[in-house]
């Protein structure tokens, strides 16, 4: 797409996403779908439920069951078949009461022909985001001008095979570019999750963060943890006072039997389950959550997780609560509900927004420096710092755990994949934001063509 034409297409998309638009009751009144919601030349829309019945679209795909991706999907849906993973199918039927006749779960990792698509196949790939989330690899010819865009593809009817990789929301890893369905193929369009396409978002690899949380929880509960070192490398005396009362501590505290510590993890309605599961397994304990959350967890095909769940809060050393509960006053009140069973608590608040880059960070680095710096960073339990207002009885930790790709991971992904065009799908609401991201995509493209390496060498199978 030529630069001028691309600008026009984005202007058209801006009009389609006008926040002031209000559909009327008149027949055909609906919000128009921007071009990046409908695959070029194919009758397929992805995460486009807020646009109702889209002209020419015969298949509606859902990457995962987060509300910003299924907006307007409800029990009255009747615009066409919905294709998604098995876990996502269970979740939207359970949470949204979508009529099962519209919901078509597809197998993972196997190409499947999309009905009424003109010969397009789709392969679902684990997205490393939330339960049920997946990338879609579409392969096939362009056969139709579907959607609302006035800009038409010149390749419709050409018979040429196109490959589109729609990332939905994902945490990029080497496993994505090494997947048999992707490896060795040129991808014409990558619909990229650009949530953190900014150098300031360089949080640690997810597997290291999960391990760090599990290790810290284990040490705190066992009484082994005596605090993270301070900036001078000395032991943190404040943490010592929380975990191991000093000789100067109140005698009544010292005479108490060993405190029973409750671990509380904040989560979204769907997401952050991996960190919960890892902590529970490290502590060899059960997981408790309310009935609403438990029903959502049981929609997931995870027998190991199901085996850890209990309805008895006193049986579980790990409790799951909404993310907003991991603040001092709310967490203290929560622990009070179990007075006599638990005397203290440690709360983990996992979110990508927790992390801030070191002062003096270069926010316009070269591609090689992005990769080398990212791969030089490690993360352990000692890197987790207590949040403000933490006390002896209620400790809280902000955890740099995200289910979206960091800037470093997006760079590694882009440098390890053979692609023709990247299309941003997040933070595209204004021209300035798009231009900023487009510059990075351009730099990736230039450096990828110069590079002699087919992919960025990973540090482990699941992270760069």
């Amino acid at each position: 797409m030529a630069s001028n034409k691309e600008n026009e297409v984005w202007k058209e998309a801006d009009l389609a996403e006008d926040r002031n638009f209000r559909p009327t009751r008149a027949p055909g009144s609906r919000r128009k779908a921007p071009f990046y919601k409908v695959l070029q030349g194919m009758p397929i829309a992805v995460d486009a439920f807020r646009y109702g019945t889209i002209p020419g679209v015969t298949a509606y795909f859902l990457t995962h069951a987060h509300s910003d991706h299924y907006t307007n999907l409800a029990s009255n849906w009747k615009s066409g078949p919905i294709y998604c993973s098995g876990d996502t199918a269970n979740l939207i039927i359970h949470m949204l009461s979508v009529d099962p006749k519209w919901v078509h779960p597809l197998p993972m990792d196997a190409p499947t022909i999309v009905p009424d698509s003109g010969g397009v196949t789709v392969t679902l790939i684990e997205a490393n985001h939330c339960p049920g989330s997946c990338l879609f690899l579409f392969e096939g010819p362009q056969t139709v001008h579907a959607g609302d865009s006035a800009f038409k593809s010149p390749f419709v009817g050409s018979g040429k095979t196109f490959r589109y990789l729609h990332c939905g929301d994902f945490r990029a890893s080497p496993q994505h570019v090494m997947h048999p369905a992707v490896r060795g193929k040129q991808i014409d369009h990558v619909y990229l999750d650009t949530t953190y396409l900014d150098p300031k978002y360089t949080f640690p690899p997810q597997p290291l963060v999960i391990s760090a949380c599990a290790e810290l929880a284990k040490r705190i509960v066992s009484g082994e943890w005596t605090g993270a070192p301070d900036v001078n490398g000395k032991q943190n005396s404040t943490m010592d006072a929380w975990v191991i009362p000093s000789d100067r501590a109140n005698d009544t505290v010292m005479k108490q039997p060993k405190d029973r510590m409750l671990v509380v993890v904040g989560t979204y309605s769907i997401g952050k389950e991996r960190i919960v599961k890892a902590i529970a397994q490290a502590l060899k304990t059960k997981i408790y959550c309310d009935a609403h959350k438990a029903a959502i967890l049981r929609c997931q095909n995870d027998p190991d997780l199901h085996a850890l769940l209990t309805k008895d809060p006193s049986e579980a050393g790990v409790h799951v609560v909404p993310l907003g509960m991991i603040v001092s006053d709310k967490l203290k009140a929560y622990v009070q509900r179990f007075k006599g069973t638990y005397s203290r608590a440690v709360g983990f608040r996992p979110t990508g927004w927790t992390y801030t880059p070191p002062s003096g960070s270069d926010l316009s680095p070269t591609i090689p420096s992005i990769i080398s710096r990212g791969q030089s960073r490690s993360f352990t339990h000692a890197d987790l710092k207590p949040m403000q207002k933490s006390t002896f009885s209620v400790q809280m930790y902000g955890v740099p755990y995200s289910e979206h790709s960091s800037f470093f991971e997006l760079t590694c992904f882009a440098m390890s994949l053979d692609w023709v065009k990247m299309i941003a799908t997040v933070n595209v609401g204004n021209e300035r934001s798009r231009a900023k991201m487009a510059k990075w995509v351009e730099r990736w493209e230039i450096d990828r063509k110069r590079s002699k390496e087919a992919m960025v060498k990973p540090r482990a199978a699941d992270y760069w």
Side-chain angles (χ1 to χ4, degrees), residues 241 245-256 392:
S246 70
D247 293 337
R248 297 185 300 276
N250 187 296
D251 287 343
T252 59
V253 174
M254 295 300 291
K255 291 174 182 177
Q256 284 180 354
F392 172 73

Side-chain angles (χ1 to χ4, degrees), residues 262-267 276 286-289 312-321 326 334 338 342:
L262 174 64
V263 177
V264 186
V265 183
T267 70
V276 175
K286 294 282 189 177
I287 298 168
Y288 169 77
C289 56
D312 181 0
S314 64
E315 185 188 8
V318 176
H319 287 202
V320 180
V321 300
I326 309 298
Y334 183 82
F338 307 102
Y342 299 103

Side-chain angles (χ1 to χ4, degrees), residues 171-175 177-178 202-209 355 369-380 383 406 408-409 412 416 455-464:
R171 184 84 193 247
S173 87
Q175 293 169 332
V177 297
M178 294 294 288
T202 54
F203 36 82
Q206 190 184 82
L208 298 185
V209 175
Y355 184 78
S369 68
I370 292 167
I371 295 169
S372 62
R373 289 176 192 172
Q375 295 200 317
S376 68
R377 295 188 180 103
S378 61
F379 195 86
T380 72
D383 293 303
S406 68
F408 159 71
E409 288 161 342
C412 290
S416 302
M455 70 174 289
V456 177
K457 187 177 180 180
R459 287 186 280 174
D462 52 355
Y463 66 92
W464 274 294

Side-chain angles (χ1 to χ4, degrees), residues 26 48 53 67 76 91 97-98 146 158 172 195 223 316 353 414 436-437 446 458 461:
T53 303
S67 59
N76 62 352
L91 286 164
S97 301
V98 177
S158 67
T195 300
W353 299 102
K436 193 174 178 181
M437 294 189 292
I446 292 169

Side-chain angles (χ1 to χ4, degrees), residues 25-274:
R25 294 186 178 183
S29 175
R30 47 175 282 277
R31 182 185 291 275
K32 291 185 177 181
F35 76 96
Y36 55 87
K37 291 291 184 179
V38 181
L39 302 185
Q40 186 182 69
M42 297 179 182
I44 294 170
V46 182
D47 296 345
F49 300 92
R50 69 183 303 207
Y51 309 102
T53 303
I54 302 173
V57 170
T58 58
Y60 293 82
F61 280 76
L62 176 61
T63 58
H64 63 290
H66 277 165
S67 59
D68 54 330
H69 291 255
Y70 63 63
T71 304
N72 285 4
L73 183 57
S75 59
N76 62 352
W77 174 264
K78 56 184 179 180
S79 293
I82 301 166
Y83 299 97
C84 55
S85 69
D87 282 6
T88 297
N90 292 338
L91 286 164
I92 62 172
I93 291 170
H94 169 73
M95 297 190 305
L96 308 177
S97 301
V98 177
D99 190 330
K101 77 176 183 180
W102 295 111
V103 183
H104 301 269
L106 299 177
M108 301 296 293
D109 307 313
T112 303
I113 295 176
V114 182
D116 302 318
S117 66
V120 176
T121 64
V122 63
T123 303
L124 277 61
I125 301 169
E126 163 63 46
N128 195 27
H129 178 63
C130 71
S133 62
C134 58
L135 279 62
F136 295 125
L137 175 65
F138 297 97
E139 300 176 274
Q142 294 191 13
T143 58
V144 64
H145 296 295
D148 295 302
S149 177
F151 296 89
K152 308 302 181 183
S153 170
F155 298 102
V156 170
S158 67
K160 178 185 175 182
T161 296
F162 284 81
R163 296 188 182 93
Y164 303 143
L165 183 65
H166 200 295
C167 297
D169 285 349
F170 81 138
R171 184 84 193 247
S173 87
Q175 293 169 332
H176 291 132
V177 297
M178 294 294 288
H179 193 282
V182 173
R183 188 177 184 181
K185 294 179 181 177
Q186 186 177 71
I187 309 299
D188 294 284
H189 291 175
V190 177
Y191 294 82
L192 190 67
D193 170 14
T194 47
T195 300
Y196 291 136
L197 209 175
D198 188 310
K200 67 182 179 182
Y201 298 118
T202 54
F203 36 82
Q206 190 184 82
L208 298 185
V209 175
I210 293 172
S211 296
C213 290
E215 180 64 20
L216 181 60
K218 188 176 179 180
R219 291 183 180 222
I220 290 176
V221 170
S222 68
E224 294 176 23
W225 181 236
T226 56
D230 64 18
V231 291
N232 298 314
K234 296 180 180 179
Q235 205 167 339
N236 187 327
S237 57
T238 305
M239 277 295 297
D240 288 347
W242 291 344
V243 182
I244 302 178
S246 70
D247 293 337
R248 297 185 300 276
N250 187 296
D251 287 343
T252 59
V253 174
M254 295 300 291
K255 291 174 182 177
Q256 284 180 354
K258 188 173 182 180
D259 296 329
R260 188 174 179 197
M261 176 76 78
L262 174 64
V263 177
V264 186
V265 183
T267 70
Y268 297 142
S269 60
I270 303 169
K272 319 293 186 185
E273 290 81 0
R274 291 177 188 173

